[in-house]
Amino acid sequence: MKKRLFYFSVLVISVFFVQPFEMHGQQTVKLTDPYEHFRQAKLLFDSNNFPAAQEEFRFYLKSLQESTSSLISERTIVEYYIAMCSIYSMRPEAEIQAVKFVSDHPESPFSAKLITEIGVFYYETGDWARAIKYLSNSSQTNLEHKYYLAVSYYKSNQYKEALALFNLLKFESEDEFSLPAAYYAGVMHFHSEKFEQAIEDFKLASADPKYAAEAPVWISSAYMKLNRYNDLIGYVKPILADSSYQQSSGNLASIIAELQFQKQDYVNAAKSYAVVKEKSPMMMNRERNYKFAFALYKSKQLDEALLLLAKSDKLNDSLGQEMAKTRALILVDQQKWDLAYPALQEIAAMPFNKELAEEAYLMYLSLLQQNQQWPTLLKEIKSYQKRLPQNKQGELLVSMAIDALQKQASLSAMEDFMLNFPVGKVKFQELYQATCYQIASKAYEKQEDRRAIIYYKKSLDFAVNREMAWYARYALAEILARSNKNSDAIKLYVPLLAETNVPTGSRELSQRIRLSLAHSFAYITMYDRSLQYFEEYVANKLTGTRSVDDLRNLAELSIAKGDLTTGLKYFDEAIQQNSAQTTSLMERKALILFNLRKFKEASEVYLAYSSKFPNDPQADKMLYQSNVALARLQKTESYAAVIRNTTQFIQSKSTINPMFAPFLLIRAQAYENTNQWFLAMDDYVQIVRKYTTDSSAKEAIIGATELLKKAGRHTEAMELYHIYASQHGDDPSLADQWFDICTEMFQQAKYKLVVPELVRLIQEYPAYGQSDAINYMLGVATYHTKDYGNALIYLKRSQQGVSYANKSQWVIALIYEEQKHADLAIGQLVDLKANMAFQDTLMVDVQDKLKQLYGQQKKFDSLNQLWVDLDASDSLRKSQWAVEIGQYALDAVEYDLAKKWFSTSVDYNQDEVGAKAAIAFAKVLSLQNEYKQSNDWLVAQFIQSESRYYHLPDATVGQAYLSMADNFIQLKNNAQAKAILQSILSNSSDDAVKVLAKKKMEGIQ
């Protein structure tokens, strides 16, 4: 404001001095006295003494009005100052004077300035309506006035107009106005639920230190309103992590904690509540402390949660009940049953939340059930039902009671519940029936018939389950039958069949009863009745007539029961009916014999089929199967018969017969099995050359290939395959078959042979889908044949695909290592490690190789980083690595570094690896002539009864004793060294350690 006044003062004074002296250059000194009033008024105005300045200006104006020679411009300037003094001294007539001045001097430049100044004055004094009135024009060209106008609109609740101006201002280059404008726009956007715009506005405003504390709170609240959980987390976390940021961090942490808790992100909620507790402890009221504890519980920080709950105020209210529940849940998770049970009972006794109380008690019952505390559970269920007979948990209680009773298997307890727990009486009766039935069934299986009878009859005392009752009666009859009391058994079977053989009965049990009746009648030599029930059984299975299908099924069942003879008779009977199914029945009979390894009989049936039906389309196939069965006998004479039969077929049949190739194949196999390999190979080759489209060609190429490989003729095997492949034209599987053979050769490490085949394969099939694999195999094969230049070319090609990129890069590293380019090898391995999934099986090899190369080059910083990158959960490997790195350091005479790594290994392993490191640590101390410290270390790690490695075998602990003896020798304390060595010889169970101890003893003596 002072700056503006100074500007206008200079302007007015310049006008005053220029105009009078320019137009009245001949004036005398008589004007000096009135002008002194102007000068005095101007000084008072500049010092903000506006009332006194106005009086002086009025006096001077009066003198001007009395002077005939005064200029209008002089009077205009003085009137302007008088009006400004009224404005700044807040006189009631100020606005009237300003309006009058503008009216009297519409063309004067001071009119616009006066209107502007009165607008700014009203803004600064908080008269928003008048500020809007007078700033509306000047805001068009003045950025500051536009900002004042926007604030005036905002203060007078004209938000639409204010927001329009703030949205313009916030993008201006002058931070003095743009940042506050962004803040105001953000507030209005937020309150109008335009949260996206609000976020952007507050992000702009946060650059202003005035809003740095508030803006993050507004932004966080906007993210919450938008339910943009991840964005909120991502925004707030860096702020909370910034130790230099203290303002509102408690509020922000509280917001994020509440949201994380609401979203059940308990791990992060716990972390956020911890920040609130640290930075704004006053915000941690009982409810937040409860939520903090609950979040700790949910994130498995059980001890911390219990500690926090213990420190919280314990009040008898609903929140206190929730806290008690959380404590109980923690105790449950910790399986501290002696504390968890009373804790749950305590919650159940609280009156504040009845549902929670009931839930706690039911959890108590559930835990008793889970922990198989059956007597206590049954007691508590009865107590609960007695205390609250009208509870809504009857079904659940019955279910728990039934589970407990089932596990206890106490019939007396079941009887007690049947009498005293009416809610589930029928279910308890059903349980009693089922339990008795199960006891009886187990006794039946153990042939404890007396016990089985007692409990089957007990199960019938409460026949709630009708079908179970039927099976109990059936079992009683079965007991009689297997006791050869078949007549008594029949007396039970017959009425039981009458009950079950109805639409609402049990068809399955009826069939079983019929079979049992057939057996029982057979046992008492009533074969007619046996046949009656057996045929009734057959009739009830199908149509009641002995059709071909009936006979087939009878045959199958007989054979399944082990009665092969009867089953074959049923097949023969069915075959003799000469139905349309005769051929399928003969084929089925032969197949059964074949599957039962009755190969001779199966061969005869297949041969009978081909003889009886020579014109049947399957005749040649059956003759083929007959020879297959003969071959399965695996006898010299049977192989001879196969060769004879197949040769007869081959000589008598046309070469275009569809079975010609299969007969050639089985003859080849017979030749092969009788070690007539060249004859076998001839048949295999003939199939491949002449019957390549036949299905047998595939087996033939395999047989031929195997024989050729057995003879070491891999080149011929591949040549034969190419002949086979050439007959198939565009068969898409050819490349795969070729690829498979090459893969097999590769897997057998036939690297010199496989390289030209792979080159040819990729040349013939340049677009083959396995090109990466081919290049990989070529790279590995040429690597093994020392052709490192081509190996690198092929391996780099194979890296174009994802599948072999890592493995190829691994082999490239090995090549560089072979070429003594250790740095290049390391570069490949480092890159491979960085781009490979941690779970990749190759990761272990890469890490081990890097460890070897770094160790050879004594790059201990790199070894350290490599060790840090190991799987933290694999403590054994980390310990083993630490030992090896320590050894590298020891080899480099870096004793302190060696001790550090050996100590690290000890920290990670309490078994053999750690023990090895502990002994190595002691040896380093010895190398540093710290013999006493070395012994102290060994005693602490191995010798004391509670030491880390005391439990290990004598082979390991003995090494520690040997090291101690060496140290005492170095300390010239031979007596103590001998005592230790004698102790080893007397007490150690490890012979190798004893041998070493004996040698050292001899050396001392």
Side-chain angles (χ1 to χ4, degrees):
M1 192 67 184
K2 288 181 180 179
K3 197 183 283 187
R4 289 196 303 275
L5 291 175
F6 174 77
Y7 168 76
F8 283 119
S9 299
V10 173
L11 177 64
V12 172
I13 290 171
S14 65
V15 172
F16 179 81
F17 279 110
V18 171
Q19 290 183 350
F21 292 101
E22 181 183 358
M23 300 183 68
H24 303 283
Q26 304 300 319
Q27 291 288 329
T28 66
V29 77
K30 292 180 181 180
L31 289 176
T32 301
D33 291 339
Y35 181 66
E36 285 298 324
H37 287 287
F38 180 83
R39 290 182 63 189
Q40 182 64 28
K42 189 65 179 65
L43 288 172
L44 292 169
F45 185 89
D46 290 341
S47 61
N48 296 336
N49 189 352
F50 301 116
Q54 190 177 47
E55 289 302 317
E56 291 294 332
F57 279 128
R58 287 186 187 280
F59 184 88
Y60 182 64
L61 178 62
K62 184 177 180 182
S63 66
L64 289 177
Q65 290 171 343
E66 291 174 353
S67 172
T68 57
S69 62
S70 64
L71 296 175
I72 294 174
S73 59
E74 294 179 50
R75 291 198 301 272
T76 300
I77 292 170
V78 176
E79 288 174 3
Y80 167 76
Y81 270 106
I82 292 170
M84 289 297 293
C85 287
S86 295
I87 292 170
Y88 291 132
S89 58
M90 301 182 67
R91 297 183 63 84
E93 71 275 9
E95 184 176 5
I96 297 172
Q97 281 185 332
V99 172
K100 183 176 184 305
F101 180 88
V102 172
S103 176
D104 291 345
H105 308 288
E107 301 299 326
S108 171
F110 294 106
S111 293
K113 297 182 183 303
L114 184 61
I115 292 300
T116 297
E117 288 302 317
I118 194 171
V120 172
F121 175 75
Y122 283 133
Y123 166 80
E124 292 179 344
T125 56
D127 190 342
W128 310 117
R130 290 180 177 177
I132 292 169
K133 176 180 177 182
Y134 291 107
L135 289 171
S136 295
N137 288 330
S138 63
S139 66
Q140 301 293 328
T141 57
N142 189 301
L143 187 62
E144 181 179 17
H145 293 174
K146 183 180 289 186
Y147 174 74
Y148 292 157
L149 179 61
V151 174
S152 300
Y153 276 130
Y154 177 80
K155 294 293 186 179
S156 57
N157 298 330
Q158 299 183 55
Y159 298 124
K160 181 179 179 182
E161 293 81 358
L163 182 59
L165 290 173
F166 283 132
N167 279 337
L168 294 173
L169 286 163
K170 68 187 181 184
F171 295 114
E172 293 291 346
S173 59
E174 296 186 30
D175 291 348
E176 179 184 359
F177 305 111
S178 62
L179 298 182
Y183 175 79
Y184 277 108
V187 172
M188 286 187 283
H189 278 136
F190 185 93
H191 288 302
S192 59
E193 299 186 359
K194 296 179 179 179
F195 302 115
E196 296 282 2
Q197 295 95 317
I199 289 170
E200 297 306 317
D201 291 336
F202 285 120
K203 284 182 178 179
L204 290 174
S206 64
D208 191 330
K210 291 186 296 184
Y211 308 117
E214 288 185 63
V217 178
W218 283 103
I219 292 170
S220 300
S221 300
Y223 278 132
M224 283 189 67
K225 294 287 187 181
L226 291 168
N227 292 321
R228 285 169 56 181
Y229 173 70
N230 292 333
D231 290 337
L232 173 58
I233 301 297
Y235 174 73
V236 173
K237 273 189 174 179
I239 296 177
L240 296 180
D242 186 356
S243 59
S244 65
Y245 182 86
Q246 297 294 330
Q247 298 173 321
S248 303
S249 58
N251 283 331
L252 292 177
S254 175
I255 290 171
I256 194 173
E258 294 293 327
L259 182 57
Q260 288 165 333
F261 189 90
Q262 178 186 346
K263 297 291 185 180
Q264 299 183 2
D265 183 4
Y266 296 116
V267 172
N268 288 316
K271 295 177 182 177
S272 299
Y273 280 123
V275 174
V276 179
K277 188 174 182 180
E278 177 189 352
K279 297 192 175 181
S280 299
M282 298 301 295
M283 295 182 68
M284 292 301 291
N285 54 25
R286 280 183 74 227
E287 183 177 358
R288 285 200 178 96
N289 271 322
Y290 159 67
K291 290 181 177 179
F292 187 11
F294 189 81
L296 288 170
Y297 154 63
K298 283 293 189 179
S299 55
K300 304 302 181 186
Q301 300 179 61
L302 305 183
D303 292 334
E304 293 84 348
L306 277 178
L307 182 62
L308 184 59
L309 288 170
K311 291 181 179 179
S312 300
D313 296 335
K314 294 181 176 61
L315 301 179
N316 286 325
D317 55 14
S318 57
L319 181 57
Q321 192 173 10
E322 288 287 351
M323 288 181 172
K325 174 189 173 183
T326 302
R327 176 177 175 271
L329 291 174
I330 294 170
L331 294 171
V332 169
D333 279 5
Q334 293 179 328
Q335 298 186 357
K336 296 179 179 178
W337 308 121
D338 56 330
L339 298 175
Y341 292 155
L344 290 168
Q345 289 175 306
E346 178 187 352
I347 299 166
M350 292 182 177
F352 309 108
N353 187 330
K354 291 184 178 180
E355 290 184 2
L356 182 56
E358 185 176 44
E359 178 187 338
Y361 197 80
L362 291 175
M363 179 181 287
Y364 168 52
L365 295 180
S366 177
L367 289 173
L368 290 174
Q369 181 182 28
Q370 174 187 321
N371 294 326
Q372 301 183 11
Q373 299 187 24
W374 310 123
T376 306
L377 175 60
L378 292 173
K379 177 183 174 183
E380 292 292 344
I381 289 173
K382 287 168 65 178
S383 172
Y384 184 79
Q385 182 65 20
K386 185 177 181 180
R387 188 169 66 253
L388 297 170
Q390 303 301 320
N391 68 80
K392 298 178 181 179
Q393 304 298 332
E395 289 297 322
L396 178 59
L397 295 176
V398 169
S399 174
M400 286 183 171
I402 286 175
D403 184 42
L405 291 168
Q406 281 178 326
K407 300 299 190 300
Q408 266 196 319
S410 169
L411 293 178
S412 61
M414 295 178 196
E415 291 168 350
D416 180 38
F417 268 82
M418 282 191 290
L419 291 173
N420 300 309
F421 209 94
V423 175
K425 181 177 180 179
V426 174
K427 290 186 176 180
F428 293 127
Q429 289 177 341
E430 187 174 8
L431 174 62
Y432 183 88
Q433 177 191 11
T435 303
C436 290
Y437 183 84
Q438 289 169 2
I439 294 171
S441 298
K442 289 178 181 178
Y444 177 84
E445 290 173 3
K446 295 178 181 178
Q447 297 188 356
E448 298 173 357
D449 290 349
R450 186 181 298 277
R451 179 175 172 81
I453 290 169
I454 292 171
Y455 283 99
Y456 276 131
K457 288 182 176 179
K458 277 182 175 288
S459 75
L460 293 171
D461 290 341
F462 298 100
V464 178
N465 187 319
R466 184 182 64 162
E467 188 166 357
M468 188 180 292
W470 286 340
Y471 274 96
R473 290 163 59 191
Y474 175 72
L476 288 169
E478 288 287 285
I479 291 172
L480 291 170
R482 76 180 184 184
S483 302
N484 291 325
K485 298 178 181 179
N486 289 286
S487 297
D488 293 333
I490 289 169
K491 292 176 183 178
L492 294 179
Y493 286 137
V494 172
L496 185 57
L497 180 60
E499 291 181 37
T500 58
N501 189 31
V502 294
T504 58
S506 171
R507 180 179 179 82
E508 189 270 339
L509 182 56
S510 297
Q511 289 293 78
R512 293 179 66 179
I513 295 169
R514 291 187 182 99
L515 286 173
S516 295
L517 279 167
H519 287 118
S520 290
F521 277 117
Y523 273 112
I524 59 173
T525 67
M526 295 180 67
Y527 302 115
D528 54 340
R529 298 292 301 276
S530 174
L531 181 59
Q532 171 194 337
Y533 282 107
F534 191 78
E535 288 179 344
E536 186 178 323
Y537 169 78
V538 174
N540 278 278
K541 269 195 73 144
L542 299 170
T543 62
T545 59
R546 293 168 62 92
S547 64
V548 171
D549 288 331
D550 293 333
L551 292 168
R552 177 196 288 263
N553 290 329
L554 285 168
E556 297 280 2
L557 289 170
S558 297
I559 294 170
K561 289 165 55 182
D563 189 355
L564 178 61
T565 303
T566 302
L568 293 176
K569 286 180 180 178
Y570 277 120
F571 271 121
D572 291 340
E573 184 181 346
I575 289 168
Q576 288 170 6
Q577 293 188 14
N578 291 320
S579 66
Q581 299 184 49
T582 298
T583 53
S584 65
L585 286 166
M586 292 184 73
E587 185 177 1
R588 175 60 179 162
K589 178 183 175 182
L591 181 60
I592 289 173
L593 289 167
F594 188 92
N595 290 338
L596 291 173
R597 307 186 68 80
K598 303 281 186 180
F599 298 123
K600 183 175 182 299
E601 294 84 348
S603 176
E604 291 172 352
V605 176
Y606 280 128
L607 184 60
Y609 182 125
S610 62
S611 301
K612 187 174 182 179
F613 304 100
N615 297 321
D616 187 87
Q618 296 291 321
D620 288 346
K621 180 181 178 182
M622 294 302 103
L623 181 59
Y624 168 77
Q625 289 296 132
S626 174
N627 285 281
V628 170
L630 276 176
R632 292 296 294 273
L633 288 171
Q634 298 182 0
K635 295 180 179 179
T636 303
E637 60 270 22
S638 63
Y639 286 133
V642 169
I643 293 170
R644 185 172 57 255
N645 295 338
T646 53
T647 300
Q648 183 179 355
F649 180 89
I650 291 166
Q651 290 175 350
S652 63
K653 297 291 183 178
S654 169
T655 55
I656 62 173
N657 187 295
M659 295 303 298
F660 198 92
F663 271 88
L664 275 174
L665 178 65
I666 194 172
R667 186 174 73 171
Q669 291 167 342
Y671 280 141
E672 187 174 0
N673 287 322
T674 54
N675 298 330
Q676 301 180 67
W677 293 314
F678 290 105
L679 293 174
M681 192 181 302
D682 287 343
D683 281 347
Y684 285 138
V685 170
Q686 184 179 354
I687 294 170
V688 172
R689 291 183 182 277
K690 295 183 179 180
Y691 301 98
T692 53
T693 58
D694 191 89
S695 60
S696 59
K698 192 162 235 174
E699 287 190 63
I701 187 64
I702 293 172
T705 301
E706 289 300 320
L707 289 174
L708 288 168
K709 287 194 295 183
K710 186 182 292 185
R713 294 154 61 181
H714 291 89
T715 304
E716 292 178 54
M718 188 57 73
E719 179 186 0
L720 184 63
Y721 176 79
H722 288 310
I723 293 172
Y724 166 78
S726 67
Q727 299 297 318
H728 288 268
D730 297 329
D731 184 351
S733 67
L734 283 176
D736 289 335
Q737 294 174 26
W738 192 355
F739 175 78
D740 290 341
I741 293 176
C742 288
T743 301
E744 183 180 348
M745 294 173 69
F746 176 80
Q747 291 170 346
Q748 293 178 358
K750 307 280 187 183
Y751 298 124
K752 288 185 179 180
L753 292 175
V754 80
V755 167
E757 286 299 328
L758 287 169
V759 171
R760 182 177 173 187
L761 172 59
I762 204 167
Q763 287 174 345
E764 292 193 22
Y765 297 96
Y768 182 52
Q770 296 284 357
S771 59
D772 291 338
I774 294 172
N775 279 312
Y776 173 73
M777 287 192 288
L778 276 168
V780 173
T782 50
Y783 160 67
H784 283 290
T785 57
K786 308 298 183 182
D787 184 2
Y788 296 136
N790 280 323
L792 287 172
I793 294 171
Y794 290 127
L795 289 167
K796 287 177 181 178
R797 287 178 185 172
S798 70
Q799 284 185 297
Q800 297 174 4
V802 176
S803 301
Y804 293 91
N806 291 342
K807 292 193 290 185
S808 295
Q809 193 165 358
W810 164 249
V811 180
I812 289 171
L814 296 180
I815 292 171
Y816 285 145
E817 184 187 14
E818 288 287 337
Q819 294 177 327
K820 310 301 181 185
H821 299 318
D823 290 340
L824 292 177
I826 289 172
Q828 289 292 321
L829 293 169
V830 169
D831 180 67
L832 177 58
K833 176 177 174 290
N835 295 299
M836 183 168 51
F838 193 76
Q839 299 79 8
D840 196 308
T841 55
L842 193 57
M843 178 62 80
V844 171
D845 292 334
V846 171
Q847 291 172 327
D848 288 342
K849 180 59 70 174
L850 274 171
K851 176 191 66 181
Q852 174 194 333
L853 294 173
Y854 284 148
Q856 291 169 354
Q857 296 186 351
K858 299 180 175 54
K859 293 184 176 181
F860 293 109
D861 289 340
S862 299
L863 281 170
N864 180 68
Q865 184 58 51
L866 194 61
W867 183 87
V868 169
D869 292 341
L870 293 179
D871 183 358
S873 65
D874 192 350
S875 59
L876 176 61
R877 187 166 181 239
K878 289 183 81 78
S879 179
Q880 182 64 48
W881 268 51
V883 172
E884 295 174 13
I885 296 173
Q887 189 58 50
Y888 284 130
L890 185 58
D891 294 342
V893 198
E894 295 280 354
Y895 292 143
D896 289 338
L897 184 60
K899 286 194 294 184
K900 172 200 164 190
W901 281 108
F902 290 140
S903 177
T904 299
S905 177
V906 168
D907 292 339
Y908 270 84
N909 186 266
Q910 294 188 1
D911 290 314
E912 298 290 344
V913 175
K916 179 181 176 182
I919 293 170
F921 185 94
K923 287 183 178 179
V924 176
L925 288 172
S926 298
L927 289 172
Q928 293 178 310
N929 298 326
E930 301 287 348
Y931 304 113
K932 184 177 183 306
Q933 290 87 332
S934 175
N935 277 350
D936 291 343
W937 166 264
L938 291 168
V939 169
Q941 298 296 325
F942 291 90
I943 312 306
Q944 293 176 350
S945 60
E946 299 298 325
S947 62
R948 187 189 300 264
Y949 302 112
Y950 182 81
H951 66 284
L952 292 181
D954 286 356
T956 301
V957 177
Q959 294 295 328
Y961 276 97
L962 290 171
S963 294
M964 288 180 65
D966 288 338
N967 288 333
F968 278 119
I969 292 170
Q970 294 298 324
L971 291 169
K972 310 301 183 183
N973 190 346
N974 290 346
Q976 186 62 47
K978 287 180 180 181
I980 292 173
L981 294 171
Q982 186 59 50
S983 173
I984 294 173
L985 293 171
S986 301
N987 301 313
S988 178
S989 62
D990 188 84
D991 293 338
V993 171
K994 285 183 176 181
V995 170
L996 293 173
K998 186 175 180 181
K999 287 182 179 179
K1000 290 181 185 294
M1001 180 72 83
E1002 291 171 353
I1004 296 173
Q1005 293 172 349

